[in-house]
Amino acid sequence: MKIAKVPLRVSFCGGQTDLPWYFEENEFGCVISSTINKYICVMRDEKGKINQINDIPPMSGLGGSSSYVVGQMYTEHPNMNLWQLAEEAYHHEVNVMKNNVGKQDHYSAVFGGLNYIKFYPTQEVGVSRVDIDVDDLFSKLVFISLGQKKIPSGKLLDDVKSNVKNNTLQLNELKNLTIELATNHFSNFEEVLKESWKIKKSMSKKVTNNKIDDIYELGLKSGATCGKVCGSGGGGYLMMYFPNGTQMDFIKSNPKLKVEKFYYEPKGVQLV
């Protein structure tokens, strides 16, 4: 039996600029994302039967479907070049499984770590490690389970496509914020996260809802300075940033919320 351990990921900025209808028409797209210590284990037996074990339920906004595809392909082709693995996994999920996802998740799952990833119209992809104290960053983040599945990315994609010109301008802003975040080595993290969350909410009414907004406000009152919903929005996890050590106050003051800690995973897919 072959077993692939594949990390999930948290995307910090640039989501949806990794969709081909954007980066093929706008010079390039870019994201910053990090793999975390939550995994999907994909198991393939001698007869080719596939089973999986998930640390986190599907549709949580952490790139689980893409991690599964990466693990499935890696157990079948363990000697495949990693760049080819990421690209093949992306094409399989989009063209065979018909999931409207961007490219970032597959490259995150394959290479692991905190990366600045660029997507070019030529279909080339650049992956650069972001050199910051990632453990310190994650020590200040909490992730609140929203108790509901995120909106499927395909539905949000319909909203984005309904007004390509306006949303292209907004996606250009997200791209510029991502470049700034990478260039400044996260010194402007709070400002970028605040602005990118405003932009993402303006692109679709399905990104947030009253429940998410209420929890976000609770976080701000307890010392958080910014946050965002992981993935395409509408559910999954709400990430909040507490730079001044008040996250335990937030957790104790809101016992009904399911608050979790995720930590940095520097490695990508592995056979175990």
Side-chain angles (χ1 to χ4, degrees):
M1 177 178 286
K2 291 186 176 69
I3 303 174
K5 180 181 177 183
V6 196
L8 303 181
R9 66 94 185 103
V10 171
S11 180
F12 290 111
C13 194
Q16 295 191 34
T17 71
D18 61 332
L19 292 163
W21 63 263
Y22 177 80
F23 66 74
E24 289 178 357
E25 301 295 331
N26 292 279
E27 192 176 358
F28 66 90
C30 60
V31 303
I32 296 178
S33 62
S34 175
T35 42
I36 58 175
N37 67 330
K38 298 296 178 183
Y39 310 90
I40 290 179
C41 285
V42 181
M43 297 158 283
R44 180 186 295 271
D45 66 19
E46 292 77 7
K47 296 182 180 180
K49 183 179 178 181
I50 299 290
N51 285 298
Q52 68 182 93
I53 299 175
N54 299 352
D55 282 349
I56 300 289
M59 300 288 290
S60 294
L62 302 175
S65 65
S66 303
S67 290
Y68 170 75
V69 176
V70 167
Q72 184 182 37
M73 297 193 73
Y74 201 48
T75 55
E76 185 176 6
H77 305 287
N79 297 317
M80 183 181 287
N81 174 278
L82 293 182
W83 293 94
Q84 183 182 357
L85 174 64
E87 197 66 22
E88 292 286 344
Y90 165 72
H91 284 290
H92 181 81
E93 184 166 7
V94 171
N95 298 322
V96 178
M97 299 173 65
K98 304 299 182 182
N99 288 341
N100 287 316
V101 296
K103 277 193 171 186
Q104 66 165 305
D105 295 350
H106 310 85
Y107 281 84
S108 291
V110 168
F111 290 100
L114 175 65
N115 295 306
Y116 174 49
I117 311 175
K118 296 180 73 172
F119 309 91
Y120 296 96
T122 59
Q123 306 306 314
E124 291 180 275
V125 177
V127 180
S128 303
R129 192 61 57 99
V130 179
D131 185 18
I132 66 167
D133 187 343
V134 193
D135 292 328
D136 179 68
L137 172 65
F138 273 90
S139 74
K140 298 171 182 175
L141 295 172
V142 301
F143 297 84
I144 302 113
S145 175
L146 297 170
Q148 59 200 68
K149 294 182 178 181
K150 72 177 183 68
I151 300 297
S153 57
K155 291 185 179 180
L156 285 175
L157 187 59
D158 290 341
D159 291 340
V160 175
K161 283 186 172 180
S162 68
N163 195 336
V164 173
K165 182 177 179 180
N166 286 343
N167 284 304
T168 297
L169 294 175
Q170 292 163 315
L171 289 170
N172 286 341
E173 292 180 42
L174 283 177
K175 179 169 72 174
N176 290 333
L177 287 171
T178 306
I179 295 169
E180 290 177 16
L181 188 60
T183 302
N184 290 288
H185 299 281
F186 275 61
S187 64
N188 57 340
F189 180 69
E190 294 174 53
E191 293 79 8
V192 166
L193 212 64
K194 288 176 186 176
E195 188 61 29
S196 65
W197 179 232
K198 289 179 183 177
I199 294 170
K200 290 298 285 284
K201 288 191 295 182
S202 74
M203 293 172 63
S204 171
K205 294 179 180 178
K206 297 176 182 177
V207 168
T208 189
N209 54 43
N210 290 337
K211 177 181 178 179
I212 294 172
D213 291 342
D214 288 345
I215 297 173
Y216 191 95
E217 287 301 317
L218 286 174
L220 295 181
K221 290 177 181 177
S222 295
T225 56
C226 55
K228 68 182 288 287
V229 171
C230 298
S232 53
Y237 282 89
L238 173 64
M239 179 181 75
M240 298 293 293
Y241 180 66
F242 290 83
N244 300 313
T246 59
Q247 55 186 267
M248 288 309 300
D249 295 335
F250 169 71
I251 294 171
K252 290 177 181 178
S253 300
N254 299 281
K256 293 184 179 181
L257 294 180
K258 185 179 180 182
V259 183
E260 300 182 41
K261 290 290 293 181
F262 300 152
Y263 296 97
Y264 178 55
E265 169 55 75
K267 296 181 180 179
V269 60
Q270 303 175 71
L271 289 180
V272 296

